[in-house]
Structures are given as C-alpha cells and as structure tokens.
Amino acid sequence: MAERSQYEELARQISAVGAVKRSLSRILPAECPSGSAAVLSLIGRHGEMRMGRLAELLAVDMSVTSRHVAHVVERGWLERSPDPEDRRSRILRLTPAGRDLLDDLGRRTTDMFAHYLGDWSDEDVGQLNAMLARLRESVGDCRAHATRTPV
Amino acid sequence: MAERSQYEELARQISAVGAVKRSLSRILPAECPSGSAAVLSLIGRHGEMRMGRLAELLAVDMSVTSRHVAHVVERGWLERSPDPEDRRSRILRLTPAGRDLLDDLGRRTTDMFAHYLGDWSDEDVGQLNAMLARLRESVGDCRAHATRTPV
DNA sequence: TATTGTTATACTCTATAACTATA
DNA sequence: TATAGTTATAGAGTATAACAATA
C-alpha cells in the first residue's frame, strides 16, 4: 500500500501522459488518426479477431470501436468478414494495404522513440511497458463499478 | 536504445493508459471534469502561478488552459488576481472552496487507487511515477518539432 | 430473452487562428 | 514588435441509449 501523496502524484502523471500520446498522434499519416492506428496495431499484434475482443483490447466501448473500425474499413486497410460460427459477429482482418500502412506506422513510431528515448536502455523501456501493463490490469477501465457521484 | 518491438509496445501501452485516465475521471464530483481537477491539483501541488506556467505543467496549449481555468473560476474554486509586476498576467490562487474540493478530490483518488492498487508497494508506485516523469521529460509534447506528414 | 454490433446524440478535450491588452 | 491571455471554431475521442439481427 502506497502513501496518499504517491497516489495523487500518480493521478497527475497519468493525466500528463496525454501529452506524449498527442505527440505520437502528430506523427501519423493523413487519414489515420490515433484511433485507427490503435485498431491496426492491435490486429497486427494479436491477429484477426471479432469486434468484442477488439473493444476489450482497446479498452473502450464497443460503439467507439465500431466507429474506428468503420473508418479503417472505408479506407481499405481492414476487411470485415461475416463469422461463419456466429452470424451476428464479424471477423476483422488486415488487408495487404493495411499491412503496408502498419509497417509505415511502426517505422514512424520507432523513429520517434529512437529519437527521443535514445538514452533509454532496452530494459528501461521494457520495465515501463511492464508497469503500464500491470497498471492497466490492476485498474482496468472499472466501468462496471463506476458511479459518478452527484454533488 | 531499445528494440523496435519494444517501442511499438510502448505506443500501445501509452494509448491504453486512456482507460485508466477515464476511470479516474468517472470518480470526480459533478461540475468537476478532469480538466478542472488537473488545474486544481497542479495549483495545490505547486502553489499560486500564472497562466503560462500552468499551461506548461498541464502540457496543453494556453488556450486550453484558459478554458479550464475559466470553468474553475466560474465555480468559485480559483481566483484570478492581476499580477502587479506584469499587468498582462494574472495570478491563479485556490479559494477556500477550492481547497475543500481539492481535499475531496484527493480522498477520491486515494480511495480508488487504494482499492485497485492494494498489492502495489510504495516503491512500485514511486517507480511508476518516476518512469512516467522521465518519459514526459524525454518526449515532452514535441510540439515545436511536429509536422504532420501529408499522404 | 440475451448477445453482437451499429447508429444517433451529446459531452470533453484539444489545437489553430484571430483578437485584446500590455511590455 | 513581442508577449500574456481570451475567445471562436473545428476536429478527435468517448459514452449512453435506442436499434437491428441473430443466438
């Protein structure tokens, strides 16, 4: 159990990560906002999947996922095939164009981090990744427990 | 220098921190969105300051800062006094009501993290805080170097 | 009846650009 | 002329609720 001031500092740090996130989104190619990049990256990393699974990995509502996916599909980077095992579902799969774009995105991300994180060791980055994964697992999105307190 | 796949994972992790951020914003009281909470928290932590300094700490444009501050001032949680040394500037200072609210916010944040991060040691949280601070310092918001690449 | 996914709507956060006031 | 801050506008991300189709 950590001290109170540590928790308050953590809240500020989490809030400030937004600046880094926005830096990442600024290096993206046109037509590819960060929501689209996240969709492509996760499907590239985990392979084809259904909407529900993607929504989990993105940690956003399925309605949001649906919008991001529609954007990516419209641009020919992703295909939505019907799932033969459950016709309510659709399987998401990268197209060749999507794979090309994903390579490009990886290059841009790598270039940026290599530039700004040049003095970070492989272990440093790995450790930060591990702690962020742990944080996400510990907190999750808590939507089930959420109750916005009235005044 | 880290491996390419580490950087791509870092990009996904940073993107996913949004879920934790939204969990934090769900526990806020009415009338106090996360932008307002960030303003109050930073002024509580660093003491009175001017708009420009706050914009730096928030890592957002001053126009955004101005809007957040206006919201907080309208609700009586912050006062904007003219700066006697430079009449273009205004000094931001918590009101008693703002201090009360800030106490409340700290309680909510602490309760939430104590609940979800119960198995994190003080060192764990401190280490994550340190790494996030380092990340932010390394990357910053990079706005000066940003050029959104055309197709 | 419950679940998968889509769409309509509304809210928050953000940046850019134009503007005011002061240095 | 340059700087501190405000306001108008537009774009991206998100959640809730209502809806369609299928299990």
Side-chain angles (χ1 to χ4, degrees):
Chain A
M1 176 80 76
E3 277 186 24
R4 170 166 180 159
S5 64
Q6 293 265 56
Y7 287 144
E8 295 176 2
E9 177 63 17
L10 181 56
R12 281 188 291 268
Q13 291 294 345
I14 288 172
S15 167
V17 168
V20 179
K21 204 170 166 183
R22 290 194 297 281
S23 294
L24 271 170
S25 75
R26 276 188 212 101
I27 64 168
L28 296 176
E31 302 274 286
C32 185
S34 63
S36 301
V39 166
L40 295 171
S41 176
L42 284 170
I43 296 185
R45 168 78 177 72
H46 295 277
E48 61 182 51
M49 65 183 76
R50 308 197 302 177
M51 293 290 305
R53 166 87 171 126
L54 179 59
E56 261 180 44
L57 290 171
L58 286 170
V60 298
D61 191 87
M62 184 132 63
S63 65
V64 178
T65 306
S66 182
R67 253 186 51 162
H68 288 329
V69 166
H71 180 93
V72 174
V73 168
E74 279 164 21
R75 276 148 193 86
W77 298 325
L78 201 65
E79 73 179 7
R80 257 184 307 202
S81 325
D83 181 345
E85 295 186 359
D86 181 341
R87 277 156 46 212
R88 292 172 303 183
S89 289
R90 313 171 79 169
I91 307 274
L92 307 173
R93 192 181 292 112
L94 287 175
T95 63
R99 211 162 272 288
D100 289 346
L101 176 57
L102 191 51
D103 285 346
D104 181 35
L105 297 180
R107 259 189 310 276
R108 290 170 188 251
T109 302
T110 303
D111 289 351
M112 179 182 134
F113 280 136
H115 179 61
Y116 289 112
L117 271 45
D119 60 332
W120 287 54
S121 71
D122 200 71
E123 287 71 37
D124 289 339
V125 179
Q127 194 174 33
L128 177 54
N129 280 335
M131 298 204 81
L132 289 177
R134 185 181 172 200
L135 175 69
R136 197 152 53 112
E137 198 186 347
S138 291
V139 177
D141 73 350
C142 306
R143 244 187 297 163
H145 326 282
T147 45
R148 184 166 244 270
T149 314
V151 180
Chain B
M1 176 81 76
E3 276 185 25
R4 170 165 180 162
S5 64
Q6 294 265 55
Y7 287 144
E8 297 176 2
E9 178 63 18
L10 180 56
R12 281 188 290 270
Q13 290 295 344
I14 288 171
S15 167
V17 168
V20 179
K21 205 171 167 182
R22 291 193 297 281
S23 293
L24 270 169
S25 77
R26 276 190 212 98
I27 62 167
L28 297 176
E31 303 272 286
C32 184
S34 63
S36 301
V39 165
L40 294 172
S41 176
L42 284 169
I43 296 184
R45 168 76 177 73
H46 296 276
E48 61 182 52
M49 63 183 75
R50 309 197 302 176
M51 291 292 305
R53 166 87 172 127
L54 179 58
E56 261 179 45
L57 291 172
L58 287 170
V60 297
D61 192 86
M62 184 133 65
S63 65
V64 177
T65 306
S66 183
R67 252 187 51 162
H68 289 326
V69 166
H71 180 94
V72 175
V73 169
E74 279 163 23
R75 277 151 192 83
W77 298 324
L78 203 64
E79 73 180 7
R80 259 185 306 206
S81 326
D83 180 345
E85 295 187 358
D86 182 342
R87 274 156 49 213
R88 294 172 302 181
S89 289
R90 312 170 78 168
I91 307 274
L92 307 173
R93 192 180 293 111
L94 286 174
T95 63
R99 211 162 273 288
D100 289 346
L101 176 57
L102 191 51
D103 286 345
D104 181 34
L105 297 180
R107 257 190 312 272
R108 290 170 189 251
T109 302
T110 303
D111 288 350
M112 179 181 132
F113 280 137
H115 179 60
Y116 289 111
L117 271 45
D119 61 332
W120 287 53
S121 71
D122 201 72
E123 288 72 34
D124 289 338
V125 178
Q127 194 175 30
L128 177 54
N129 279 336
M131 297 203 82
L132 289 176
R134 186 180 171 200
L135 176 70
R136 197 151 56 111
E137 197 186 346
S138 291
V139 177
D141 73 350
C142 304
R143 243 186 298 164
H145 325 283
T147 47
R148 183 168 246 268
T149 315
V151 179

